[in-house]
Amino acid sequence: MSLNNSSNVFLDSIPSNTNRFQVNVINESHESSEAVNDNTDPPHYEETSFGDEAQNRLRISFRPGNQECYDNFLQNGEAAKTDASFHAYDSHTNTYYLQTFGHNTMDAVPKIEYYRNTGSISGPKVNRPSLLEIHEQLAKVSLKDTGKYPPLFIPSGHFLPFHNAMNNVAVAPGSADRVANGDGVPGDEQAENKEEDQGGTVKFGWVKGVLVRCMLNIWGVMLFIRLSWIVGEAGIGLGVLIILLSTMVTSITGLSTSAIATNGFVRGGGAYYLISRSLGPEFGGSIGLIFAFANAVAVAMYVVGFAETVVDLLKESDSMMVDPTNDIRIIGTITVVILLGISVAGMEWEAKAQVILLVILLIAIANFFIGTVIPSNNEKKSRGFFNYQASIFAENFGPSFTKGEGFFSVFAIFFPAATGILAGANISGDLEDPQDAIPRGTMLAIFITTVAYLGVAICVGACVVRDATGSTNDTIISGMNCNGSAACGLGYDFSRCRHEPCQYGLMNNFQVMSMVSGFGPLITAGIFSATLSSALASLVSAPKVFQALCKDNIYKALQFFAKGYGKNNEPLRGYILTFFIAMAFILIAELNTIAPIISNFFLASYALINFSCFHASYAKSPGWRPAYGVYNMWVSLFGAVLCCAVMFIINWWAAVITYVIEFFLYIYVTYKKPDVNWGSSTQAFSYVSALDNALELTTVEDHVKNFRPQCIVLTGGPMTRPALLDITHAFTKNSGLCICCEVFVGPRKLCVKEMNSGMAKKQAWLIKNKIKAFYAAVAADCFRDGVRSLLQASGLGRMKPNTLVVGYKKNWRKAPLTEIENYVGIIHDAFDFEIGVVIVRISQGFDISQVLQVQDELEKLEQERLALEATIKDNECEEGSGGIRDLFKKARKLNITKPTPKKDSINTIQSMHVGEFNQKLVEASTQFKKKQGKGTIDVWWLFDDGGLTLLIPYILTLRKKWKDCKLRIYVGGKINRIEEEKIAMSSLLSKFRIKFADIHIIGDINVKPNKESWKVFEEMIEPYRLHESHKDLTTAEKLKRETPWKITDAELEAVKEKSYRQVRLNELLQEHSRAANLIVLSLPVARKGSISDLLYMAWLEILTKNLPPVLLVRGNHKNVLTFYS
């Protein structure tokens, strides 16, 4: 639909290629209806979802001569939002309407732009409205306030779909398809796209890009100089079987390649790209390097094959330059230089050369078939060629293996002729549509080349006898008995070949095809074409695969070769490297040793491609949806096994070398852990395995022998309390579950937003610091509610937390009462849910958030300083240094100083000013990261909680950092039974198989503490006592109602013995464990309703005061230790 160019109309035209997202413009007014000559449809009205009010409609109005189209484009005072979002009408004014799918909503209809990667080659990425933008209340922002207008009208005169202004989408004039709201900094992909988007980029279709290359690579010199020998050795029957078996391997691999190539967009890199994106960087990185190397050496192999043929011709004409070996080197060097020139000239020239070589090859093959029907002369008959003869076919049908040969040895010689099926896939980045080209071109190439191999094998087997003398005088003498010999029946006697070697026939002459062909030199041209085309294909494939590998930065030392040049992003550096590798092996001039390894390298790639297809299918990932459905995962697995078997058939020691190299590279890449995420099937399979194992675990009842601490650690952000996380990680690493938990308290909307924004960052911090833990967060109205939710809902199946780890609340005397209630409350809640509790106390506390804040501020200042310097340098370049130096001097007055360079450890902050934070706090936060050295872990196992108090320190002694620490066990006992109880405890620990250095029986735990210690305790609780016994009853009751949290005299008297015990225990700890590396102590339990929160905190304070790091432990009173097997 189009509009005229009247001054009353501000839209010049609407594109004719309408689609579902187009905005149709309809003139409803009678006055302006004449301007719309082509529109005969009646006006379309639809009520909007926001009601009938005029102010709630999308209105675009203007008067003749005044095209201020934006002034009235308001929607409740805000920018109108479309992109398939509005139906509007106005029956009272001269108005145009936007007809789109849906009502007045920010919801966007499905579009491909939403699913692209940032910097995609196929088009820009567009961000759909977020769930938050759709779900939250619509903000009402007036255009008059902001001074901004919606990106609706553009100079070209087209209406464009557009998004809410919150998306900050920049609309380029001309098309909505150019809208791109990137979701991050463009990476290498976008950088590559800029190079590829330059004018004149050459892209190939499936014929020139895949079919031609694969046919040329599969048809090698084997077709012309070895296939006849294979038929002679194995016979037509087994020869055909060998060809079909080879084809089966390549066909299965081709099907797997097609399935992987059609499961998403394929970039450059060929086999490496397919394997790495399917199985991950470990497999892809290992096979990519050896595959690229194999292609580079294959260049030398094919060039030397070409040079040998040329040297043979020189021998026949007696035109040798030096000697055979040096002639091969000279010719090979010249040839590879010419091929390099063709490759560097560009893919277009290389493709033209491939087409020419294919034409020559096809003419040579046709020349052979024509020669088989041309009547043979006497010379050819003496060499064993008699045209098609049934007797020859019958004689050659069965095998006739010579000494040392067999089916598998002959198969090993032929199989390399069937390789080359990845020649098209290797240049996947240069294909117009890799998803269509790779399956179609590869499978058709396999079919055509197989038919050609079968045709040549059958024809040569039906025309040429196995042995011939080449002498025209060896004819049949009358009366001679032929003994079933086909040649004898045709008038020739080649019987002497049984006793002495002959030079002709299938078994002896490698130039049979030249002899049979109509014009022999064409076969030589075919040999040249086959070798040069294969060499050229390998010379192009190796740099392309290597460049893709280097771009992914799996091997950081090879990043230099990732750079591309020119409109096609040509890997010139890779070409030079391939050239030198090829030259090195050409100068060796002996490739008989390296050739089997090259074949095995290719087969290893085929095996992994097949395994990739199987693995992706077996992992059952919803993302595995190949468009090419002609595959089966079990067939792919069979193909992978078959490839591995063929590797050993061809050459067992070469197969072993291949596996060793691949294994070494796999281990290297796994150790380096490249920072890539390609959604590989390995990830999918890991998920499936984890899910299956978790489900299987639920079917098995818990057993005490398999108990392990599974901890919820209330760290907040894991980086804010590293010491608490470190000590917990010390006894959960590789043995138990560890979940770092954070509770966001406050307005739900803000909390959820903050929580969601930090989840990935905090989990990434754990991974970066090699802490084997998960991060979980909840938003709640209060801290206790959040922890209660975590205690109930964290974990999965049997992998649920059984221990709560919290840091000691050091500032409890200054903290608000609600914080103390929440802190003690979560301990009660844990016991209610039958979860053990561990409270960790260190002298300086755990929270280093102030340190991190200082560090962040200094980093920001450093960034600002660098940005300022960069700006000054830019200005100096543009305006000269005259006035800029003054600006630089002013900038220095801002005192923006460079902070200490950031390192992995928080220790780096030591060089900062002492006044900015507590230096001792920083040192304390790293104390559990250090090796503890020789010392002791003192375990005060005062109450039997099921054994958790003993198990945790035992696990610690198994760790590298704590292995030099010995366990000293302290238990309570009677003074008159110390030795008996020591023997009993020693026996129990021996049955538990827990090694200990010493056992101490403390007989005076229940003795009253000294007066000084008790006085300290009384002074501690004095501010929180009610002292109701010194007041009258009415006043006392009033105080209880007003301050129910205070410690009453009655409560204090009721638990006086327990209070004595806590104070006395601190005295004993000071006496016995002052020098310990760590103290593990039974946590006293506060009975609900009997012990006030403040009194309980006073117990914990006096119990752990002035001591080394203390772990207060209380299990859930279920056995975690057993002495039964």
Side-chain angles (χ1 to χ4, degrees), residues 148-179:
K148 298 180 181 178
Y149 296 97
L152 176 71
F153 180 66
I154 55 176
S156 63
H158 293 194
F159 259 125
L160 294 181
F162 58 90
H163 295 278
N164 184 355
M166 286 192 293
N167 285 338
N168 295 324
V169 179
V171 181
S175 171
D177 293 333
R178 305 306 301 171
V179 177

Side-chain angles (χ1 to χ4, degrees), residues 715-726:
T715 59
M719 63 283 291
T720 59
R721 292 176 177 82
L724 181 62
L725 180 55
D726 289 338

